[in-house]
Amino acid sequence: MKSYLTGIVMVSALVAAAIADAYALQGSSVRDFDAEIRTAMQSAKTAADVEFLGTLSRLCLLPQSSTEDTSDNVPAFVAKPSSAPARETWYADPARVFDNLYFVGGKVHSAWALTTSDGIILIDTIFPYNSEELIVGGMRKLGLDPKNIKYVLISHAHADHIGGAEMLQSRYGAHVVMGAADWDVVAKYPNLYKTMAPKRDIVGTDGMKITLGETAVTIWATPGHTPGTLSDTFTVFDRGRPVHVAYSGGTAFNFPNRTPDPGIRNFQTYIDSQKHMAAQAAATGATVILSNHSEFDNAYNKNRMLAGRGNGPHPYELGTDWVQRYFQVMQNCARAAQIGLERDLVRPAK
């Protein structure tokens, strides 16, 4: 009986191996993965044109990071402040971008102050080493009082966006809004978020409205970049004219993505989120796309263009089609990477 069972097991294993080999051959013959990748890449390039080259380069052309930092070590710029990047590498002048929206970020990382009749909604807070000068100092240069910050919306829990949240919450009593999963990450890694971790406050959820005075920011859950990434839609004014904004909360593929499991699934989460956000942008008629990195929305350069605008068009206002194309770049670059993992699943690397 034992030899019989052993024989059955061996035959079953051989059959399973033969089926797997046949599936691999069939899959590789039915699908031209390389052609699919080229098609997705070309779709991303077409959507980007010359407007979103930074987004295209980061997502489609440059090597991707592949994981989150879960070491729970105190960052060097916190443990030894003198090791923080030199001021000239990050400083940018603050700017009034719309009637009620102000840029208080740096050359690379952005923060935005949305003014209302009842206070200020701040979106993202940069690093702990420069949030004092860029946000607090920048607001004062623009004639805004940081004491009026009532809400701080954190797109995701990375040091370049959550860095000043603890300071702003403790100093001004501002409410902090962040996605549940990212609140959990901050609590799990106290050393990694040393000096950056606000007390747990408002959990942002899909469709939630943060209302202050006559202004409302609608939050959209867009997991992918981090599990709790949040994006936003809201209205600003250009010389009294309402303009609708889509704010993309997380862009790079810094989630585990180098192996089919969990990479394929993670890319699908990312793609679905970008489709969701594109739909919200379309529903609100968004003609402006903003980000928390200048490489994606070109904020640093556009701010300098504002001074010479005169009666010309607003440099940030691209139109509804271009806003949709931004999300198409993100989706197609993610799809190209996902197809590569599907190819690896069928034809594993030797």
Side-chain angles (χ1 to χ4, degrees), residues 78-236:
V78 172
K80 186 180 179 182
S82 61
S83 68
R87 182 178 183 273
E88 61 267 21
T89 67
W90 51 258
Y91 179 79
D93 289 326
R96 186 179 188 181
V97 175
F98 289 96
D99 298 356
N100 59 329
L101 184 69
Y102 299 76
F103 176 88
V104 287
K107 287 181 179 178
V108 179
H109 307 93
S110 303
W112 303 87
L114 181 65
T115 59
T116 79
S117 60
D118 198 28
I120 296 169
I121 300 172
L122 186 73
I123 305 176
D124 284 321
T125 65
I126 337 179
F127 283 102
Y129 59 78
N130 58 12
S131 53
E132 179 77 41
E133 180 170 5
L134 291 177
I135 296 176
V136 177
M139 289 178 65
R140 286 174 175 156
K141 285 183 179 180
L142 294 167
L144 303 177
D145 189 345
K147 292 180 181 178
N148 290 329
I149 299 173
K150 300 298 175 61
Y151 290 98
V152 175
L153 311 186
I154 302 298
S155 61
H156 61 275
H158 286 162
D160 49 348
H161 308 298
I162 195 178
E166 180 179 333
M167 177 268 290
L168 294 169
Q169 184 189 60
S170 62
R171 185 182 299 179
Y172 303 119
H175 287 292
V176 178
V177 182
M178 191 159 56
D182 283 22
W183 276 117
D184 292 344
V185 168
V186 171
K188 186 176 181 180
Y189 300 106
N191 291 318
L192 186 62
Y193 291 97
K194 187 176 179 65
T195 77
M196 296 178 269
K199 294 179 180 178
R200 190 174 180 119
D201 194 359
I202 299 173
V203 175
T205 57
D206 195 61
M208 173 186 283
K209 290 187 182 297
I210 299 297
T211 302
L212 192 61
E214 77 296 341
T215 301
V217 175
T218 306
I219 292 172
W220 304 103
T222 52
H225 184 69
T226 67
T229 295
L230 302 176
S231 298
D232 311 302
T233 52
F234 53 92
T235 300
V236 296

Side-chain angles (χ1 to χ4, degrees), residues 302-326:
K302 287 180 178 178
N303 289 345
R304 294 188 290 177
M305 294 166 61
L306 283 168
R309 176 193 177 189
N311 294 321
H314 197 291
Y316 278 87
E317 192 167 10
L318 304 177
T320 56
D321 178 63
W322 276 108
V323 171
Q324 290 301 305
R325 288 170 70 161
Y326 181 85

Side-chain angles (χ1 to χ4, degrees), residues 32-57:
D32 186 339
F33 291 99
D34 293 339
E36 290 183 32
I37 291 171
R38 288 194 298 271
T39 297
M41 291 277 282
Q42 185 57 56
S43 295
K45 292 175 182 177
T46 299
D49 201 350
V50 297
E51 185 64 42
F52 301 126
L53 291 179
T55 309
L56 178 72
S57 296

